[in-house]
Protein backbone atom coordinates (compact mmCIF):
# COMPACT_ATOMS: atom_id res chain seq x y z
CA UNK A 1 0.00 0.00 0.00
CA UNK A 2 1.24 3.49 -0.81
CA UNK A 3 2.31 5.69 2.10
CA UNK A 4 1.86 8.85 0.03
CA UNK A 5 -0.58 10.16 -2.55
CA UNK A 6 -0.21 8.45 -5.90
CA UNK A 7 -0.09 11.01 -8.75
CA UNK A 8 -3.10 10.78 -11.06
CA UNK A 9 -2.71 9.17 -14.46
CA UNK A 10 -2.95 11.58 -17.40
CA UNK A 11 -3.84 11.47 -21.06
CA UNK A 12 -2.25 14.06 -23.32
CA UNK A 13 -4.04 14.69 -26.61
CA UNK A 14 -1.63 14.71 -29.56
CA UNK A 15 -1.69 17.48 -32.19
CA UNK A 16 -3.43 15.06 -34.61
CA UNK A 17 -6.03 14.18 -32.00
CA UNK A 18 -6.71 17.85 -31.27
CA UNK A 19 -7.18 18.46 -35.01
CA UNK A 20 -9.63 15.54 -35.19
CA UNK A 21 -11.50 16.87 -32.17
CA UNK A 22 -11.73 20.39 -33.59
CA UNK A 23 -13.53 19.05 -36.70
CA UNK A 24 -15.99 17.11 -34.55
CA UNK A 25 -16.62 20.02 -32.14
CA UNK A 26 -17.01 22.52 -35.00
CA UNK A 27 -19.64 20.22 -36.58
CA UNK A 28 -21.51 20.10 -33.29
CA UNK A 29 -21.34 23.86 -32.71
CA UNK A 30 -22.69 24.39 -36.28
CA UNK A 31 -25.53 21.94 -35.58
CA UNK A 32 -26.80 24.39 -32.92
CA UNK A 33 -27.64 21.50 -30.65
CA UNK A 34 -27.55 22.25 -26.92
CA UNK A 35 -25.50 20.00 -24.62
CA UNK A 36 -27.23 21.83 -21.76
CA UNK A 37 -30.44 19.98 -22.68
CA UNK A 38 -30.92 16.32 -21.83
CA UNK A 39 -32.00 15.47 -25.41
CA UNK A 40 -28.49 15.94 -26.70
CA UNK A 41 -27.19 13.23 -24.38
CA UNK A 42 -29.57 10.67 -25.90
CA UNK A 43 -27.69 11.06 -29.20
CA UNK A 44 -24.21 11.61 -27.74
CA UNK A 45 -23.16 7.97 -28.39
CA UNK A 46 -23.09 8.71 -32.10
CA UNK A 47 -20.74 11.68 -31.73
CA UNK A 48 -18.66 10.02 -29.00
CA UNK A 49 -17.76 7.34 -31.57
CA UNK A 50 -15.89 10.10 -33.43
CA UNK A 51 -13.63 10.95 -30.50
CA UNK A 52 -9.96 9.99 -31.03
CA UNK A 53 -9.49 6.24 -30.55
CA UNK A 54 -6.64 6.66 -28.06
CA UNK A 55 -8.79 8.87 -25.82
CA UNK A 56 -11.69 6.44 -25.99
CA UNK A 57 -9.35 3.55 -25.12
CA UNK A 58 -8.02 5.45 -22.07
CA UNK A 59 -11.55 6.20 -20.88
CA UNK A 60 -12.67 2.61 -21.44
CA UNK A 61 -9.72 1.33 -19.42
CA UNK A 62 -10.45 3.86 -16.64
CA UNK A 63 -14.13 2.84 -16.58
CA UNK A 64 -13.60 -0.89 -16.67
CA UNK A 65 -10.57 -1.52 -14.46
CA UNK A 66 -10.74 1.20 -11.74
CA UNK A 67 -7.00 1.88 -12.07
CA UNK A 68 -6.95 5.15 -10.09
CA UNK A 69 -9.08 7.67 -8.22
CA UNK A 70 -8.93 10.13 -11.10
CA UNK A 71 -7.80 10.74 -14.66
CA UNK A 72 -6.63 14.01 -16.15
CA UNK A 73 -7.00 14.82 -19.85
CA UNK A 74 -4.90 17.63 -21.26
CA UNK A 75 -4.51 19.37 -24.58
CA UNK A 76 -7.78 20.87 -25.82
CA UNK A 77 -7.08 24.57 -26.39
CA UNK A 78 -9.62 27.05 -25.01
CA UNK A 79 -9.82 30.57 -26.46
CA UNK A 80 -10.22 32.86 -23.45
CA UNK A 81 -11.85 35.57 -25.60
CA UNK A 82 -14.31 33.32 -27.42
CA UNK A 83 -15.76 31.81 -24.22
CA UNK A 84 -16.43 35.32 -22.90
CA UNK A 85 -16.20 36.61 -19.33
CA UNK A 86 -17.01 34.28 -16.45
CA UNK A 87 -20.76 34.77 -15.90
CA UNK A 88 -22.13 36.07 -12.60
CA UNK A 89 -24.32 33.07 -11.86
CA UNK A 90 -25.19 29.60 -13.17
CA UNK A 91 -28.35 30.77 -14.91
CA UNK A 92 -26.40 33.26 -17.03
CA UNK A 93 -23.76 30.61 -17.74
CA UNK A 94 -26.46 28.12 -18.82
CA UNK A 95 -28.05 30.68 -21.14
CA UNK A 96 -24.77 31.58 -22.86
CA UNK A 97 -23.79 29.72 -26.05
CA UNK A 98 -20.17 30.92 -25.99
CA UNK A 99 -18.74 27.83 -24.27
CA UNK A 100 -20.84 25.27 -26.16
CA UNK A 101 -17.73 23.76 -27.78
CA UNK A 102 -16.30 23.03 -24.33
CA UNK A 103 -19.64 21.61 -23.16
CA UNK A 104 -19.75 19.27 -26.17
CA UNK A 105 -16.29 17.95 -25.33
CA UNK A 106 -17.32 17.33 -21.73
CA UNK A 107 -20.55 15.64 -22.87
CA UNK A 108 -18.78 13.27 -25.26
CA UNK A 109 -16.07 12.28 -22.79
CA UNK A 110 -18.85 11.68 -20.24
CA UNK A 111 -20.66 9.41 -22.69
CA UNK A 112 -17.61 7.15 -22.88
CA UNK A 113 -17.95 6.47 -19.14
CA UNK A 114 -21.72 5.99 -18.87
CA UNK A 115 -24.86 8.12 -18.79
CA UNK A 116 -25.00 11.80 -17.89
CA UNK A 117 -27.79 12.61 -15.45
CA UNK A 118 -29.02 15.59 -13.40
CA UNK A 119 -30.87 16.38 -10.18
CA UNK A 120 -34.14 18.33 -10.07
CA UNK A 121 -32.74 19.98 -6.94
CA UNK A 122 -29.56 21.28 -8.62
CA UNK A 123 -29.29 23.94 -11.35
CA UNK A 124 -32.80 23.13 -12.63
CA UNK A 125 -31.81 19.55 -13.49
CA UNK A 126 -29.37 20.62 -16.17
CA UNK A 127 -26.91 17.96 -17.37
CA UNK A 128 -23.98 20.36 -17.71
CA UNK A 129 -23.55 22.49 -14.64
CA UNK A 130 -21.45 25.58 -14.07
CA UNK A 131 -19.00 25.87 -11.22
CA UNK A 132 -18.26 29.56 -10.66
CA UNK A 133 -18.24 31.95 -7.71
CA UNK A 134 -21.52 33.78 -7.10
CA UNK A 135 -21.53 37.10 -5.24
CA UNK A 136 -23.20 36.68 -1.86
CA UNK A 137 -22.48 32.92 -1.73
CA UNK A 138 -18.80 33.22 -0.74
CA UNK A 139 -19.22 31.08 2.38
CA UNK A 140 -21.48 28.36 0.90
CA UNK A 141 -20.35 24.72 0.84
CA UNK A 142 -21.04 24.46 -2.89
CA UNK A 143 -19.57 25.04 -6.32
CA UNK A 144 -20.54 28.70 -5.97
CA UNK A 145 -18.56 29.50 -2.82
CA UNK A 146 -15.05 30.99 -2.78
CA UNK A 147 -13.77 32.52 0.50
CA UNK A 148 -14.40 29.31 2.42
CA UNK A 149 -12.65 26.03 1.76
CA UNK A 150 -15.08 23.58 0.15
CA UNK A 151 -14.69 20.63 2.53
CA UNK A 152 -13.83 17.44 0.73
CA UNK A 153 -16.63 14.96 0.13
CA UNK A 154 -18.02 12.19 -2.00
CA UNK A 155 -20.25 13.89 -4.59
CA UNK A 156 -23.85 13.52 -3.35
CA UNK A 157 -22.52 10.96 -0.87
CA UNK A 158 -25.85 10.86 0.99
CA UNK A 159 -27.68 9.45 -2.00
CA UNK A 160 -27.78 5.82 -3.19
CA UNK A 161 -27.95 7.05 -6.81
CA UNK A 162 -24.93 9.36 -6.58
CA UNK A 163 -22.66 9.48 -9.61
CA UNK A 164 -19.91 6.99 -10.42
CA UNK A 165 -17.89 9.76 -12.04
CA UNK A 166 -17.71 13.51 -11.64
CA UNK A 167 -16.16 15.39 -14.55
CA UNK A 168 -14.75 18.90 -14.30
CA UNK A 169 -13.62 20.79 -17.40
CA UNK A 170 -11.63 23.99 -17.03
CA UNK A 171 -12.97 26.93 -19.04
CA UNK A 172 -10.89 29.41 -17.05
CA UNK A 173 -8.71 29.20 -13.96
CA UNK A 174 -6.14 32.02 -14.20
CA UNK A 175 -5.37 31.82 -10.48
CA UNK A 176 -4.86 28.05 -10.65
CA UNK A 177 -7.26 27.50 -7.74
CA UNK A 178 -6.78 23.85 -6.81
CA UNK A 179 -9.37 21.12 -6.59
CA UNK A 180 -8.42 18.80 -3.73
CA UNK A 181 -8.49 15.04 -4.12
CA UNK A 182 -7.76 12.05 -1.88
CA UNK A 183 -7.92 8.38 -2.83
CA UNK A 184 -9.18 5.66 -0.51
CA UNK A 185 -6.44 3.51 -2.04
CA UNK A 186 -3.76 5.66 -0.36
CA UNK A 187 -5.28 5.33 3.11
CA UNK A 188 -3.64 3.17 5.80
CA UNK A 189 -5.89 1.93 8.61
CA UNK A 190 -5.88 -1.06 11.00
CA UNK A 191 -8.17 -3.94 9.95
CA UNK A 192 -10.53 -3.50 12.92
CA UNK A 193 -11.11 0.17 11.96
CA UNK A 194 -11.77 -0.83 8.35
CA UNK A 195 -14.25 -3.48 9.49
CA UNK A 196 -16.12 -0.98 11.64
CA UNK A 197 -16.28 1.55 8.79
CA UNK A 198 -17.85 -1.19 6.63
CA UNK A 199 -20.81 -1.47 9.02
CA UNK A 200 -24.00 0.65 8.64
CA UNK A 201 -23.28 2.86 11.65
CA UNK A 202 -23.29 6.27 9.91
CA UNK A 203 -25.74 8.85 8.60
CA UNK A 204 -24.91 11.10 5.63
CA UNK A 205 -27.40 13.94 5.28
CA UNK A 206 -28.30 15.79 2.05
CA UNK A 207 -26.04 18.82 1.66
CA UNK A 208 -27.48 22.32 1.80
CA UNK A 209 -27.29 22.88 -1.95
CA UNK A 210 -29.87 20.14 -2.65
CA UNK A 211 -32.28 21.91 -0.28
CA UNK A 212 -31.48 25.55 -0.95
CA UNK A 213 -31.96 26.03 -4.71
CA UNK A 214 -35.48 24.57 -4.97
CA UNK A 215 -36.60 26.00 -1.63
CA UNK A 216 -36.22 29.43 -3.20
CA UNK A 217 -37.72 28.58 -6.63
CA UNK A 218 -40.33 25.86 -6.03
CA UNK A 219 -40.86 25.10 -2.33
CA UNK A 220 -43.39 22.27 -2.93
CA UNK A 221 -41.39 20.41 -5.59
CA UNK A 222 -41.44 16.61 -4.98
CA UNK A 223 -37.65 16.48 -5.37
CA UNK A 224 -37.25 18.95 -2.52
CA UNK A 225 -39.76 17.02 -0.39
CA UNK A 226 -37.73 13.85 -0.94
CA UNK A 227 -34.50 15.58 0.10
CA UNK A 228 -36.16 16.95 3.25
CA UNK A 229 -37.34 13.41 4.11
CA UNK A 230 -33.81 12.09 3.58
CA UNK A 231 -32.47 14.75 5.93
CA UNK A 232 -35.08 14.06 8.63
CA UNK A 233 -35.04 10.25 8.49
CA UNK A 234 -31.72 9.14 6.99
CA UNK A 235 -30.87 5.47 6.39
CA UNK A 236 -27.77 4.23 8.22
CA UNK A 237 -24.97 3.47 5.75
CA UNK A 238 -21.44 2.05 5.73
CA UNK A 239 -18.56 4.34 4.80
CA UNK A 240 -16.45 1.58 3.22
CA UNK A 241 -18.09 -1.01 0.97
CA UNK A 242 -17.31 -3.46 -1.81
CA UNK A 243 -14.17 -5.62 -1.60
CA UNK A 244 -12.73 -5.73 1.94
CA UNK A 245 -9.14 -5.57 0.67
CA UNK A 246 -9.82 -2.75 -1.82
CA UNK A 247 -12.97 -0.92 -0.71
CA UNK A 248 -14.98 1.92 -2.23
CA UNK A 249 -16.04 4.79 0.00
CA UNK A 250 -18.87 7.26 0.58
CA UNK A 251 -18.18 10.03 3.04
CA UNK A 252 -19.09 13.68 3.63
CA UNK A 253 -17.87 14.55 7.15
CA UNK A 254 -19.43 18.01 7.11
CA UNK A 255 -22.91 16.43 6.81
CA UNK A 256 -22.38 13.22 8.81
CA UNK A 257 -23.16 11.84 12.22
CA UNK A 258 -22.95 8.39 13.77
CA UNK A 259 -25.98 6.24 14.58
CA UNK A 260 -26.86 6.49 18.32
CA UNK A 261 -23.84 8.74 18.97
CA UNK A 262 -21.66 5.62 18.76
CA UNK A 263 -18.21 6.74 20.03
CA UNK A 264 -16.43 3.75 18.49
CA UNK A 265 -17.86 4.63 15.09
CA UNK A 266 -16.95 8.29 15.66
CA UNK A 267 -13.32 7.39 16.36
CA UNK A 268 -13.12 5.15 13.28
CA UNK A 269 -14.56 7.94 11.14
CA UNK A 270 -12.07 10.39 12.60
CA UNK A 271 -9.19 8.03 11.80
CA UNK A 272 -10.35 7.79 8.18
CA UNK A 273 -10.77 11.57 7.92
CA UNK A 274 -7.22 12.07 9.25
CA UNK A 275 -5.85 9.59 6.71
CA UNK A 276 -7.75 11.13 3.79
CA UNK A 277 -6.31 14.51 4.79
CA UNK A 278 -2.80 13.07 5.02
CA UNK A 279 -2.93 11.76 1.45
CA UNK A 280 -4.80 14.74 -0.03
CA UNK A 281 -3.34 16.26 -3.17
CA UNK A 282 -4.04 19.50 -5.05
CA UNK A 283 -5.13 19.12 -8.66
CA UNK A 284 -5.42 22.25 -10.77
CA UNK A 285 -8.10 22.05 -13.45
CA UNK A 286 -6.75 24.72 -15.79
CA UNK A 287 -8.24 26.01 -19.04
CA UNK A 288 -8.66 23.07 -21.43
CA UNK A 289 -7.98 20.46 -18.74
CA UNK A 290 -10.52 17.80 -17.85
CA UNK A 291 -10.46 15.97 -14.52
CA UNK A 292 -12.44 12.76 -14.18
CA UNK A 293 -12.99 11.92 -10.50
CA UNK A 294 -13.94 8.33 -9.63
CA UNK A 295 -16.63 9.07 -7.05
CA UNK A 296 -16.31 5.59 -5.51
CA UNK A 297 -12.56 5.88 -4.91
CA UNK A 298 -11.95 9.59 -4.39
CA UNK A 299 -13.18 12.48 -2.31
CA UNK A 300 -12.78 15.99 -3.68
CA UNK A 301 -13.07 19.59 -2.51
CA UNK A 302 -11.71 23.03 -3.37
CA UNK A 303 -9.25 25.42 -1.76
CA UNK A 304 -10.51 28.84 -0.69
CA UNK A 305 -9.92 31.76 -3.06
CA UNK A 306 -10.90 35.40 -3.38
CA UNK A 307 -13.41 36.01 -6.16
CA UNK A 308 -13.15 39.22 -8.18
CA UNK A 309 -16.50 39.09 -10.02
CA UNK A 310 -14.91 40.90 -12.95
CA UNK A 311 -15.31 38.15 -15.55
CA UNK A 312 -11.91 36.57 -14.90
CA UNK A 313 -12.84 34.19 -12.05
CA UNK A 314 -12.42 30.43 -12.08
CA UNK A 315 -15.07 28.78 -14.26
CA UNK A 316 -15.52 25.04 -14.65
CA UNK A 317 -18.12 22.95 -16.47
CA UNK A 318 -19.30 19.93 -14.52
CA UNK A 319 -21.09 16.69 -15.43
CA UNK A 320 -22.15 13.71 -13.31
CA UNK A 321 -22.17 10.25 -14.87
CA UNK A 322 -23.68 6.95 -13.78
CA UNK A 323 -22.61 3.56 -15.07
CA UNK A 324 -26.17 2.28 -14.58
CA UNK A 325 -29.10 4.66 -15.00
CA UNK A 326 -31.53 1.79 -14.53
CA UNK A 327 -30.92 1.51 -10.79
CA UNK A 328 -32.46 4.97 -10.24
CA UNK A 329 -35.70 4.16 -12.11
CA UNK A 330 -37.85 4.81 -9.03
CA UNK A 331 -36.54 8.38 -8.93
CA UNK A 332 -37.08 9.20 -12.61
CA UNK A 333 -40.44 9.96 -14.26
CA UNK A 334 -39.82 7.69 -17.26
CA UNK A 335 -37.16 5.12 -18.15
CA UNK A 336 -35.76 7.54 -20.74
CA UNK A 337 -35.55 10.42 -18.28
CA UNK A 338 -32.14 11.57 -17.07
CA UNK A 339 -33.23 13.82 -14.21
CA UNK A 340 -33.53 12.42 -10.70
CA UNK A 341 -36.55 13.85 -8.91
FE1 LIG B 1 -18.46 18.19 -5.16
Amino acid sequence: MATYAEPLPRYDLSADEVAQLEVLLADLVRSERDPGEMRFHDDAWEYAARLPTGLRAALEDFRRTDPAAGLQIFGLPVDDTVVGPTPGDWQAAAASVRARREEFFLALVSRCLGDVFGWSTLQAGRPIQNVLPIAGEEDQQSGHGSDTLLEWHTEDGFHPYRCDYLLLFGVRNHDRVPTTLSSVRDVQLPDDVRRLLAEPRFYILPDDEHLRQLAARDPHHPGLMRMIRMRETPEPVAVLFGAADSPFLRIDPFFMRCVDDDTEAEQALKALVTELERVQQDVVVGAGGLLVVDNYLAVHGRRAFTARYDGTDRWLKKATVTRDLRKSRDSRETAADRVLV
Side-chain angles (χ1 to χ4, degrees):
M1 190 187 294
T3 55
Y4 52 87
E6 292 276 0
L8 295 182
R10 57 184 286 160
Y11 187 86
D12 289 277
L13 293 162
S14 69
D16 283 352
E17 288 176 324
V18 171
Q20 185 185 341
L21 264 172
E22 294 289 15
V23 172
L24 170 60
L25 297 175
D27 280 356
L28 280 164
V29 169
R30 261 194 308 275
S31 75
E32 296 190 359
R33 298 205 58 172
D34 183 1
E37 288 184 356
M38 285 297 177
R39 269 191 311 251
F40 173 76
H41 299 271
D42 298 340
D43 302 328
W45 60 272
E46 195 178 336
Y47 302 106
R50 291 172 58 193
L51 286 174
T53 307
L55 175 60
R56 282 191 290 131
L59 291 165
E60 175 59 13
D61 180 62
F62 186 75
R63 185 194 69 81
R64 200 180 64 76
T65 68
D66 298 345
L71 171 69
Q72 284 185 286
I73 301 166
F74 293 101
L76 187 73
V78 170
D79 187 322
D80 196 67
T81 310
V82 171
V83 295
T86 301
D89 56 41
W90 64 263
Q91 291 92 336
S96 168
V97 299
R98 297 181 70 167
R100 282 273 164 86
R101 169 180 165 277
E102 290 68 27
E103 293 187 345
F104 281 124
F105 180 60
L106 177 59
L108 299 186
V109 169
S110 297
R111 184 63 191 88
C112 294
L113 296 164
D115 275 299
V116 168
F117 71 98
W119 300 90
S120 62
T121 44
L122 294 181
Q123 298 194 16
R126 292 180 70 84
I128 305 282
Q129 301 194 2
N130 287 277
V131 176
L132 38 76
I134 297 180
E137 300 194 11
E138 288 82 359
D139 297 325
Q140 292 290 336
Q141 285 292 309
S142 81
H144 307 312
S146 51
D147 288 351
T148 308
L149 167 90
L150 175 58
E151 303 279 351
W152 54 258
H153 56 277
T154 300
E155 191 73 356
D156 305 312
F158 68 96
H159 206 288
Y161 305 146
R162 65 195 176 279
C163 63
D164 289 280
Y165 305 106
L166 165 73
L167 287 84
L168 296 171
F169 179 84
V171 179
R172 171 174 296 123
N173 191 358
H174 294 323
D175 303 315
R176 301 187 64 75
V177 177
T179 297
T180 61
L181 188 138
S182 311
S183 169
V184 67
R185 296 241 175 102
D186 293 332
V187 159
Q188 291 183 317
L189 285 173
D191 286 347
D192 58 331
V193 174
R194 285 175 177 266
R195 270 196 299 276
L196 200 154
L197 291 165
E199 293 172 12
R201 294 165 75 160
F202 308 89
Y203 294 126
I204 310 178
L205 308 180
D207 57 83
D208 295 335
E209 207 54 21
H210 276 280
L211 295 150
R212 218 165 56 91
Q213 290 186 10
L214 266 186
R217 275 193 308 119
D218 189 355
H220 302 294
H221 190 283
L224 176 60
M225 296 297 122
R226 189 181 288 229
M227 292 300 172
I228 290 171
R229 272 200 307 279
M230 290 181 89
R231 180 169 263 199
E232 285 169 359
T233 52
E235 293 279 326
V237 297
V239 171
L240 300 182
F241 61 99
D245 61 344
S246 181
F248 300 125
L249 94 161
R250 66 188 294 191
I251 183 170
D252 189 350
F254 201 78
F255 295 98
M256 282 180 81
R257 54 189 165 83
C258 296
V259 176
D260 297 330
D261 298 323
D262 175 346
T263 49
E264 221 182 19
E266 265 167 28
Q267 279 165 8
L269 185 62
K270 212 170 151 194
L272 175 59
V273 166
T274 303
E275 270 299 283
L276 286 166
E277 275 167 6
R278 181 180 68 80
V279 300
Q280 187 176 60
Q281 52 183 306
D282 282 351
V283 181
V284 173
V285 180
L290 200 166
L291 169 65
V292 184
V293 176
D294 186 326
N295 199 39
Y296 275 52
L297 295 177
V299 291
H300 67 281
R302 177 206 18 84
R303 299 273 177 214
F305 66 102
T306 304
R308 289 180 293 266
Y309 307 121
D310 63 354
T312 65
D313 285 322
R314 177 179 184 261
W315 180 15
L316 310 181
K317 295 279 179 182
K318 166 183 158 182
T320 49
V321 170
T322 178
R323 291 162 63 119
D324 181 9
L325 198 56
R326 184 177 264 190
K327 69 186 177 195
S328 63
R329 179 64 188 87
D330 68 0
S331 294
R332 290 176 294 118
E333 282 181 19
T334 69
D337 234 294
R338 292 172 180 273
V339 179
L340 269 56
V341 177

